[in-house]
Each structure stands twice: as structure tokens, then as C-alpha cells.
Amino acid sequence: MAETNRRPLVRKTPRGWFFQNSSSRRYLLRELTALPMAAFAIHLLCGLVALSRGPEVWAAWLAYSRHPLVLAATAIALAATILHAVTWFSLSAAVVKVAPKPVIVGLQVTFALVALGAAVTWLAVMG
Amino acid sequence: MSACTGCADRTPPPTNLGKATLRVFRYRPGGLVNGWHDTFEVPYGTNTSVIDALQWIKEHLDPTLAFRASCRMGICGSCGLMIEGRPRLACETFVRTLGSQATIEPLANFAVERDLVVDKQPFLDALRSVRPWVVGDDGTRAAEPGQPAEPAQSVEPGRQTPPQLMKYQDFAQCINCLLCYAACPQAGFERGFLGPAATATAMRYNRDSRDHGAGKRLEVLDTDEGIWPCTFVGACSQVCPKGVDPAAAIQMAKLIAAGRWAKDMVSHG
């Protein structure tokens, strides 16, 4: 193998890369929505366990759920869920892209319909 | 011979706007291990692009400054740089739009050869692996990566209707400038990641009505280093100077790969 004077410099991604621009910060926010949603899922799981252990435990879980701090955490989880759902459905529309935007004027409408259709389906399943 | 008065109205003469300070990343093999920044004062006007400024530095201040440039009109994709921390084409970025002191660095997520020049070979390898050509139904152009492609033997012209062209036309606008790789955090973490532009090119040919190579491309796309490291950050599509939307291409490829997986699950029990 021929000798070379090349010494390519490999730079590592800085630890705080997600604070570098607004796009990364939005992405970080979207990913962080998983944490309050996971916490709320654990809270609901505890409720199921409480339900299986009798009326007293269930009443205690209900009282715990009405605590202002738990209500605040639930509100945060709801906001995180809505944020994640909105960003997810808006992104999912890009996957069905069929043509360059300038060529089909109604494409944005198509995107909106796909996002709306996905959201309605999700609500129907969840409801 | 008369002057074009309309042109004169539309194109104002360049105006001297003073001097801008550019902090330019420098690196030499055998020099400082992690490189360094040099600061240059550059005169600029309304029409001075970052490439013009770098060329002025090379001609007047430091002839050893290394950078890539070619067409200077956003076509060749050679001059991608990190300008103020954001991947941009240097020929399409005007100095007047930057702050009083702008930092110019080589594209992120690529190894630096010298100053602002990065090693593009990993991308070229990734691009070649997805067979970026129309694979004929006789397979004559389906050359293996690393081997020269055979010329097509078919005598039939590859006719297409406008709707068939529109299906892939946006993905065909890619100029391989690599801004998408520099914007993608996953490309930084997973150095073997196939990445946005190579996947967009793969989808460009997959969606071409004349092509028969989608199956072979899927073998490259549907791997741990293919499309799956993508977490849909979406930054690649935001920085693309040609509006290619490689993030959408990767999600399309994921749908196809997931469909094939489901089909295999059903057919193989």
C-alpha cells in the first residue's frame, strides 16, 4: 500500500449538539415528550394494580390522583401527548409525498388531508 | 449598440459595505491535533458571497487556505460549509447576511483533510452501494458496487409520461452537496449510516418507471446501517438547498422495508 501523508481529522459530535440550533431543540422537545407520557403510563398502571387490590386501595389511588402536583403532572403529560401527536401526524404526511410541490398546487391540501385522516383514525381507535 | 435599461434597473451595482470578520477553521495534517481558527478581515459588498470572501483571503492574505468551490451558482454542490454553525452552500450565502463576526467551518460529520476540505469518500461509497442508475429489466446495468456498470443492451427507449417523471423528479434534484449529512445528528453518531442523500437517490431510482433495481437496493437500505438509524429529526430536509426532502425519502423506504418484513412474516409463517 502506498504511503500517504493524509491525517484526516475526525471530529466528535459535541455533547450539547441539541442546543446548537432551533431545529435540534424542537427535535429534543419532541423526544422528551416520551418522559411525561411514560410517567403517566406508570401512574395508570399503578391505578390498575390498585383496582385489583380492592376498593380501599382504589380510593387511595383516586385521592392520590387528585393531588395538585399529580394533576399538574397529568396536565403536562396531556400537553406532551398532544405535542407529540401533532408533530407525528404532520410528519407522517410527508411520507406519502407524490410529486414536487410546485407541480401540484393541491399537494399541501393532500398533506393536510392525510394528517387529518391519520388523526381521526387514531381518535377513533383510542375512543 | 444600446445598453439594456431593464437589466440596469433590476441589478443594482455592488455597494461596498465595509469589512467583515471571518473566523475560519484551519487544519493541517501534522499541525495542531484538533485544528484552530484564524481570523481574517474581508472587504465585502452587496454581492459578496462567502466563496468570494474565501477566495479574497486566498489571493490577498493566505494562499495556503484550502476550500472546495466550482460552479459558484448552487449547482455543483462543492462548497458546502458550516456557516455560523449551520450547513449552507458558501456560494449562495452572502456575507452581508451574516453577523459582524462569522465562523466558517468544514461540514460537520465528515473527517477534515485540510482546512475547509472534508473527506467525501464515505458518502461516495454509500452512494455507489444503492446503485444510482437505472437498472434495466435485463439486469445489464446491475453492476455490483465497485465494479463498472455495463452499458444498457436494451434498444427500447425509456419513454415516460409526465406523471411518471413527477413521481421521482424532486428526489432527482439532489446535487450531493452533503449539507443533509452535516445537519443529521445520526450521521455524527453512526459513521456508517447510509444517510439522507444516498437514500433519496435510492428512492429516486426506485420510483423511476424504467427501473428494475428496487429489490437489490432494499438489501442495502433495510440494514442496521441503512435507513434504520434515522430517527426522523427532519433537519436534512430543512437545510437542503434544492428542496429534495430526504427525510421523506427515508420514511418511504422504511414503509417499503416494513411491508417486505410483514410479507415475509406471512409467507414464511
Coordinates of all heavy atoms in Angstrom, one line a residue, chain B residues 142-213:
Chain B
A142 N -27.0 -3.7 -13.7 CA -27.0 -4.0 -12.3 C -25.6 -4.5 -11.9 O -25.4 -5.6 -11.4 CB -28.0 -5.1 -12.0
A143 N -24.6 -3.6 -12.1 CA -23.3 -3.9 -11.7 C -23.1 -3.9 -10.2 O -23.8 -3.2 -9.5 CB -22.3 -2.9 -12.3
E144 N -22.3 -4.8 -9.7 CA -22.0 -4.8 -8.2 C -21.3 -3.6 -7.8 O -20.5 -3.0 -8.6 CB -21.2 -6.1 -7.9 CG -22.0 -7.3 -8.0 CD -23.3 -7.3 -7.2 OE1 -23.2 -7.0 -6.0 OE2 -24.4 -7.6 -7.8
P145 N -21.4 -3.1 -6.6 CA -20.7 -1.9 -6.1 C -19.2 -2.2 -6.3 O -18.7 -3.3 -6.0 CB -21.1 -1.8 -4.6 CG -22.4 -2.5 -4.6 CD -22.4 -3.6 -5.6
G146 N -18.5 -1.2 -6.8 CA -17.1 -1.4 -7.0 C -16.7 -1.8 -8.4 O -15.6 -1.7 -8.8
Q147 N -17.7 -2.3 -9.1 CA -17.5 -2.7 -10.5 C -18.1 -1.7 -11.5 O -19.1 -1.1 -11.2 CB -18.1 -4.1 -10.7 CG -17.6 -5.2 -9.8 CD -16.2 -5.5 -10.1 OE1 -15.7 -5.6 -11.2 NE2 -15.4 -5.6 -9.0
P148 N -17.5 -1.5 -12.6 CA -18.1 -0.6 -13.6 C -19.4 -1.1 -14.1 O -19.6 -2.3 -14.3 CB -17.0 -0.5 -14.7 CG -16.2 -1.8 -14.6 CD -16.2 -2.1 -13.1
A149 N -20.3 -0.2 -14.3 CA -21.7 -0.6 -14.8 C -21.6 -0.9 -16.3 O -20.9 -0.2 -17.0 CB -22.6 0.6 -14.5
E150 N -22.3 -1.9 -16.6 CA -22.3 -2.3 -18.0 C -23.2 -1.4 -18.8 O -24.3 -1.0 -18.2 CB -22.8 -3.7 -18.2 CG -21.9 -4.8 -17.6 CD -20.7 -4.9 -18.4 OE1 -20.7 -4.8 -19.7 OE2 -19.6 -5.2 -17.8
P151 N -22.9 -1.0 -20.0 CA -23.9 -0.2 -20.7 C -25.1 -1.0 -21.0 O -25.1 -2.2 -21.2 CB -23.1 0.2 -22.0 CG -22.0 -0.8 -22.1 CD -21.7 -1.3 -20.8
A152 N -26.3 -0.3 -21.1 CA -27.6 -1.0 -21.3 C -27.6 -1.6 -22.7 O -27.2 -1.0 -23.6 CB -28.7 0.0 -21.1
Q153 N -28.0 -2.9 -22.8 CA -28.1 -3.5 -24.0 C -29.5 -3.3 -24.7 O -29.6 -3.5 -25.9 CB -27.9 -5.1 -23.8 CG -26.6 -5.4 -23.2 CD -25.4 -5.0 -24.0 OE1 -25.4 -5.3 -25.2 NE2 -24.4 -4.4 -23.5
S154 N -30.4 -2.9 -23.9 CA -31.8 -2.8 -24.5 C -31.8 -1.7 -25.5 O -31.2 -0.6 -25.4 CB -32.8 -2.4 -23.3 OG -34.0 -2.1 -23.9
V155 N -32.5 -2.0 -26.6 CA -32.6 -1.0 -27.7 C -33.9 -0.2 -27.5 O -34.1 0.8 -28.3 CB -32.6 -1.7 -29.1 CG1 -31.3 -2.3 -29.3 CG2 -33.7 -2.7 -29.2
E156 N -34.8 -0.5 -26.6 CA -36.0 0.2 -26.4 C -35.8 1.5 -25.6 O -35.1 1.5 -24.6 CB -37.0 -0.7 -25.5 CG -37.6 -1.9 -26.3 CD -38.4 -1.5 -27.4 OE1 -39.2 -0.5 -27.3 OE2 -38.3 -2.1 -28.5
P157 N -36.3 2.6 -26.2 CA -36.1 3.9 -25.4 C -36.9 3.9 -24.2 O -38.0 3.3 -24.1 CB -36.6 4.9 -26.4 CG -37.5 4.2 -27.3 CD -37.0 2.8 -27.4
G158 N -36.4 4.5 -23.1 CA -37.1 4.6 -21.9 C -38.1 5.7 -21.8 O -37.8 6.7 -21.2
R159 N -39.2 5.5 -22.4 CA -40.2 6.5 -22.5 C -40.9 6.7 -21.2 O -41.1 5.7 -20.4 CB -41.3 6.2 -23.6 CG -40.7 6.3 -25.0 CD -41.8 6.4 -26.0 NE -41.3 6.5 -27.4 CZ -41.1 5.4 -28.2 NH1 -41.5 4.2 -27.7 NH2 -40.6 5.5 -29.4
Q160 N -41.3 7.9 -20.8 CA -42.0 8.2 -19.6 C -43.1 9.3 -19.8 O -42.9 10.2 -20.7 CB -41.0 8.7 -18.5 CG -40.3 7.6 -17.8 CD -39.5 8.2 -16.6 OE1 -39.0 9.3 -16.7 NE2 -39.5 7.4 -15.6
T161 N -44.1 9.1 -19.1 CA -45.2 10.2 -19.1 C -44.8 11.2 -18.1 O -44.1 11.0 -17.1 CB -46.5 9.6 -18.8 OG1 -46.5 9.1 -17.5 CG2 -46.9 8.5 -19.8
P162 N -45.4 12.5 -18.2 CA -45.1 13.5 -17.2 C -45.4 13.1 -15.8 O -44.6 13.3 -14.9 CB -45.9 14.7 -17.7 CG -46.0 14.5 -19.2 CD -46.0 13.0 -19.4
P163 N -46.6 12.4 -15.5 CA -46.8 11.9 -14.2 C -45.8 10.9 -13.7 O -45.4 11.0 -12.5 CB -48.2 11.3 -14.3 CG -48.8 11.9 -15.4 CD -47.7 12.2 -16.4
Q164 N -45.2 10.1 -14.5 CA -44.2 9.1 -14.1 C -42.9 9.9 -13.8 O -42.2 9.5 -12.8 CB -43.9 8.1 -15.3 CG -45.0 7.1 -15.4 CD -44.8 6.2 -16.6 OE1 -44.3 6.6 -17.6 NE2 -45.2 5.0 -16.5
L165 N -42.6 11.0 -14.5 CA -41.5 11.8 -14.2 C -41.6 12.5 -12.9 O -40.7 12.6 -12.1 CB -41.2 12.8 -15.4 CG -40.2 13.9 -15.2 CD1 -38.8 13.3 -15.1 CD2 -40.2 14.9 -16.2
M166 N -42.8 13.0 -12.7 CA -43.1 13.8 -11.5 C -42.9 13.0 -10.2 O -42.6 13.4 -9.1 CB -44.5 14.4 -11.5 CG -44.6 15.6 -12.4 SD -46.3 15.9 -12.9 CE -47.1 16.0 -11.3
K167 N -43.1 11.6 -10.3 CA -43.1 10.8 -9.2 C -41.7 10.8 -8.5 O -41.6 10.6 -7.3 CB -43.4 9.3 -9.6 CG -44.0 8.5 -8.5 CD -44.5 7.2 -9.0 CE -44.8 6.2 -7.9 NZ -45.0 4.9 -8.3
Y168 N -40.6 11.0 -9.3 CA -39.3 11.0 -8.7 C -38.5 12.3 -8.9 O -37.4 12.4 -8.5 CB -38.5 9.8 -9.3 CG -38.1 9.9 -10.8 CD1 -37.0 10.7 -11.2 CD2 -38.9 9.4 -11.8 CE1 -36.6 10.8 -12.5 CE2 -38.5 9.5 -13.1 CZ -37.4 10.2 -13.5 OH -37.1 10.4 -14.8
Q169 N -39.1 13.2 -9.7 CA -38.4 14.4 -10.1 C -37.8 15.2 -8.9 O -36.6 15.7 -9.0 CB -39.3 15.3 -10.9 CG -38.5 16.4 -11.7 CD -39.4 17.2 -12.6 OE1 -40.6 17.4 -12.3 NE2 -38.9 17.7 -13.7
D170 N -38.5 15.3 -7.8 CA -38.0 16.1 -6.7 C -36.7 15.4 -6.1 O -35.8 16.1 -5.8 CB -39.0 16.3 -5.7 CG -39.8 15.1 -5.3 OD1 -39.6 14.1 -5.9 OD2 -40.5 15.1 -4.3
F171 N -36.7 14.1 -6.0 CA -35.5 13.4 -5.5 C -34.4 13.5 -6.4 O -33.2 13.4 -6.0 CB -35.9 11.9 -5.2 CG -36.8 11.7 -4.0 CD1 -37.7 10.7 -4.0 CD2 -36.8 12.6 -3.0 CE1 -38.6 10.5 -3.0 CE2 -37.7 12.5 -1.9 CZ -38.6 11.4 -1.9
A172 N -34.7 13.7 -7.7 CA -33.6 13.8 -8.7 C -32.9 15.1 -8.7 O -31.9 15.3 -9.4 CB -34.1 13.6 -10.1
Q173 N -33.3 16.1 -7.9 CA -32.7 17.4 -7.8 C -31.5 17.4 -6.9 O -30.8 18.4 -6.8 CB -33.7 18.4 -7.3 CG -35.0 18.5 -8.0 CD -34.8 18.7 -9.5 OE1 -34.1 19.6 -9.9 NE2 -35.4 17.9 -10.3
C174 N -31.2 16.3 -6.2 CA -30.0 16.3 -5.3 C -28.7 16.6 -6.0 O -28.5 16.0 -7.1 CB -30.0 14.9 -4.6 SG -28.6 14.7 -3.5
I175 N -27.9 17.5 -5.4 CA -26.6 17.8 -6.0 C -25.5 17.3 -5.2 O -24.3 17.7 -5.4 CB -26.5 19.4 -6.2 CG1 -26.7 20.1 -4.8 CG2 -27.5 19.9 -7.2 CD1 -26.4 21.5 -4.8
N176 N -25.8 16.4 -4.3 CA -24.7 15.7 -3.5 C -23.8 16.7 -2.7 O -22.6 16.6 -2.7 CB -23.8 14.8 -4.3 CG -24.6 13.7 -5.0 OD1 -25.7 13.3 -4.5 ND2 -24.2 13.2 -6.1
C177 N -24.4 17.8 -2.2 CA -23.7 18.8 -1.5 C -23.3 18.4 -0.1 O -22.5 19.0 0.6 CB -24.4 20.1 -1.5 SG -26.0 20.0 -0.6
L178 N -24.0 17.4 0.4 CA -23.8 16.8 1.8 C -24.2 17.7 2.9 O -23.8 17.4 4.1 CB -22.3 16.4 1.9 CG -21.7 15.5 0.8 CD1 -20.3 15.1 1.1 CD2 -22.6 14.4 0.5
L179 N -25.0 18.7 2.6 CA -25.5 19.6 3.7 C -26.4 18.7 4.7 O -26.4 18.9 5.9 CB -26.3 20.8 3.2 CG -25.6 21.8 2.3 CD1 -26.4 23.1 2.2 CD2 -24.2 22.1 2.8
C180 N -27.1 17.8 4.0 CA -28.0 16.9 4.8 C -27.3 16.1 5.8 O -27.7 15.9 7.0 CB -28.9 16.1 3.9 SG -28.0 15.2 2.7
Y181 N -26.1 15.6 5.4 CA -25.3 14.8 6.3 C -24.8 15.6 7.5 O -24.7 15.2 8.6 CB -24.1 14.1 5.6 CG -24.6 12.9 4.7 CD1 -25.2 13.1 3.5 CD2 -24.4 11.6 5.2 CE1 -25.6 12.1 2.7 CE2 -24.8 10.6 4.4 CZ -25.4 10.8 3.2 OH -25.8 9.7 2.4
A182 N -24.4 16.8 7.2 CA -23.8 17.7 8.2 C -24.9 18.1 9.2 O -24.6 18.4 10.3 CB -23.2 19.0 7.5
A183 N -26.2 18.2 8.7 CA -27.3 18.6 9.6 C -27.8 17.4 10.5 O -28.4 17.6 11.5 CB -28.4 19.1 8.8
C184 N -27.5 16.2 10.0 CA -28.1 15.0 10.7 C -27.3 14.6 11.9 O -26.1 14.2 11.8 CB -28.2 13.8 9.6 SG -28.7 12.3 10.4
P185 N -27.9 14.6 13.1 CA -27.2 14.1 14.3 C -26.8 12.6 14.2 O -25.8 12.2 14.7 CB -28.1 14.4 15.4 CG -29.4 14.7 14.8 CD -29.2 15.1 13.4
Q186 N -27.7 11.9 13.6 CA -27.4 10.4 13.5 C -26.2 10.1 12.6 O -25.5 9.2 12.9 CB -28.6 9.7 12.9 CG -29.8 9.6 13.9 CD -29.4 8.9 15.2 OE1 -29.3 9.6 16.2 NE2 -29.3 7.6 15.1
A187 N -26.0 11.0 11.6 CA -24.8 10.8 10.8 C -23.5 11.0 11.6 O -22.4 10.5 11.2 CB -24.8 11.8 9.6
G188 N -23.6 11.8 12.6 CA -22.5 12.1 13.5 C -22.2 10.9 14.5 O -21.1 10.6 14.8
F189 N -23.3 10.3 14.9 CA -23.2 9.2 15.9 C -22.9 7.9 15.2 O -22.1 7.1 15.7 CB -24.5 9.1 16.7 CG -24.8 10.3 17.5 CD1 -26.1 10.9 17.5 CD2 -23.9 10.8 18.4 CE1 -26.4 12.0 18.3 CE2 -24.1 12.0 19.1 CZ -25.4 12.5 19.1
E190 N -23.5 7.7 14.1 CA -23.3 6.4 13.3 C -22.6 6.7 12.0 O -23.2 7.0 11.0 CB -24.7 5.8 13.0 CG -25.6 5.6 14.2 CD -25.7 4.2 14.6 OE1 -25.2 3.3 13.9 OE2 -26.3 3.9 15.6
R191 N -21.3 6.6 12.1 CA -20.4 7.0 11.0 C -20.7 6.1 9.7 O -20.4 6.5 8.6 CB -19.0 6.9 11.3 CG -18.6 8.0 12.3 CD -18.5 9.4 11.7 NE -18.4 10.4 12.7 CZ -17.9 11.6 12.4 NH1 -17.4 11.9 11.2 NH2 -17.8 12.5 13.3
G192 N -21.2 4.9 9.9 CA -21.5 4.0 8.8 C -22.9 4.2 8.2 O -23.3 3.5 7.3
F193 N -23.7 5.2 8.8 CA -25.1 5.4 8.4 C -25.1 5.8 6.9 O -24.4 6.6 6.4 CB -25.6 6.5 9.2 CG -27.0 7.0 8.9 CD1 -28.0 6.1 8.4 CD2 -27.4 8.3 9.2 CE1 -29.3 6.5 8.1 CE2 -28.7 8.7 8.9 CZ -29.6 7.8 8.4
L194 N -26.0 5.1 6.2 CA -26.2 5.3 4.7 C -26.5 6.8 4.5 O -26.0 7.4 3.5 CB -27.3 4.4 4.2 CG -27.5 4.4 2.7 CD1 -26.3 3.8 2.0 CD2 -28.8 3.6 2.3
G195 N -27.4 7.3 5.3 CA -27.7 8.8 5.3 C -28.7 9.3 4.3 O -29.3 8.5 3.5
P196 N -29.0 10.6 4.4 CA -30.1 11.2 3.7 C -30.0 11.2 2.2 O -30.9 10.7 1.4 CB -30.2 12.6 4.2 CG -29.4 12.6 5.5 CD -28.4 11.5 5.3
A197 N -28.9 11.7 1.7 CA -28.8 11.9 0.2 C -28.7 10.6 -0.5 O -29.3 10.4 -1.6 CB -27.5 12.7 -0.1
A198 N -28.0 9.6 0.0 CA -27.9 8.3 -0.7 C -29.2 7.6 -0.7 O -29.6 7.0 -1.7 CB -26.9 7.4 0.1
T199 N -30.0 7.8 0.4 CA -31.3 7.2 0.4 C -32.3 7.9 -0.5 O -33.1 7.2 -1.2 CB -31.9 7.2 1.9 OG1 -31.0 6.6 2.8 CG2 -33.2 6.4 2.0
A200 N -32.2 9.2 -0.6 CA -33.0 10.0 -1.5 C -32.7 9.5 -2.9 O -33.6 9.4 -3.8 CB -32.8 11.5 -1.3
T201 N -31.5 9.3 -3.2 CA -31.1 8.9 -4.6 C -31.6 7.5 -4.8 O -32.1 7.2 -6.0 CB -29.5 8.9 -4.7 OG1 -29.1 10.2 -4.5 CG2 -29.1 8.5 -6.1
A202 N -31.5 6.6 -3.8 CA -32.1 5.2 -4.0 C -33.6 5.3 -4.3 O -34.1 4.6 -5.2 CB -31.8 4.4 -2.7
M203 N -34.3 6.2 -3.6 CA -35.7 6.3 -3.8 C -36.0 7.0 -5.1 O -37.0 6.7 -5.8 CB -36.4 7.1 -2.7 CG -36.4 6.4 -1.3 SD -37.2 4.7 -1.5 CE -38.9 5.2 -1.8
R204 N -35.1 7.8 -5.6 CA -35.3 8.5 -6.9 C -35.3 7.4 -8.0 O -36.2 7.4 -8.9 CB -34.1 9.4 -7.2 CG -34.1 10.0 -8.6 CD -33.0 9.4 -9.4 NE -32.9 9.8 -10.8 CZ -33.6 9.3 -11.7 NH1 -34.4 8.2 -11.5 NH2 -33.5 9.7 -13.0
Y205 N -34.4 6.4 -7.9 CA -34.4 5.3 -8.9 C -35.5 4.3 -8.7 O -36.1 3.7 -9.6 CB -33.0 4.7 -9.0 CG -32.1 5.6 -9.7 CD1 -31.2 6.4 -8.9 CD2 -32.1 5.7 -11.0 CE1 -30.3 7.3 -9.5 CE2 -31.2 6.6 -11.7 CZ -30.3 7.4 -10.9 OH -29.5 8.3 -11.5
N206 N -35.8 4.0 -7.4 CA -36.9 3.1 -7.1 C -38.3 3.6 -7.7 O -39.1 2.8 -8.0 CB -37.1 2.9 -5.6 CG -36.0 2.0 -5.0 OD1 -35.3 1.4 -5.7 ND2 -36.0 1.8 -3.7
R207 N -38.4 4.9 -7.7 CA -39.7 5.5 -8.1 C -39.7 5.7 -9.6 O -40.7 6.3 -10.2 CB -40.0 6.7 -7.3 CG -40.3 6.5 -5.9 CD -40.2 7.7 -5.0 NE -41.3 8.6 -5.2 CZ -42.5 8.5 -4.7 NH1 -42.8 7.5 -3.8 NH2 -43.5 9.4 -4.9
D208 N -38.6 5.4 -10.3 CA -38.5 5.6 -11.7 C -39.2 4.4 -12.5 O -38.8 3.3 -12.2 CB -37.0 5.7 -12.1 CG -36.8 6.2 -13.5 OD1 -37.6 5.8 -14.4 OD2 -35.9 7.0 -13.8
S209 N -40.1 4.7 -13.4 CA -40.9 3.7 -14.0 C -40.0 2.8 -14.9 O -40.4 1.6 -15.2 CB -42.0 4.3 -14.9 OG -41.4 5.2 -15.8
R210 N -38.8 3.2 -15.3 CA -37.9 2.4 -16.1 C -37.0 1.5 -15.3 O -36.3 0.6 -15.9 CB -37.0 3.4 -17.0 CG -37.8 4.3 -17.8 CD -36.9 5.5 -18.3 NE -36.4 6.3 -17.1 CZ -35.6 7.3 -17.3 NH1 -35.3 7.7 -18.5 NH2 -35.2 8.0 -16.2
D211 N -37.0 1.6 -14.0 CA -36.0 0.9 -13.2 C -36.6 -0.4 -12.7 O -37.8 -0.6 -12.4 CB -35.7 1.8 -12.0 CG -34.6 1.2 -11.1 OD1 -33.4 1.2 -11.5 OD2 -35.0 0.6 -10.0
H212 N -35.6 -1.4 -12.5 CA -36.0 -2.7 -12.0 C -35.0 -3.1 -10.9 O -34.8 -4.3 -10.6 CB -35.9 -3.7 -13.1 CG -36.9 -3.5 -14.2 ND1 -36.8 -2.6 -15.2 CD2 -38.2 -4.0 -14.4 CE1 -37.8 -2.6 -16.0 NE2 -38.7 -3.5 -15.5
G213 N -34.5 -2.1 -10.2 CA -33.4 -2.4 -9.2 C -33.9 -2.3 -7.7 O -33.0 -2.3 -6.8

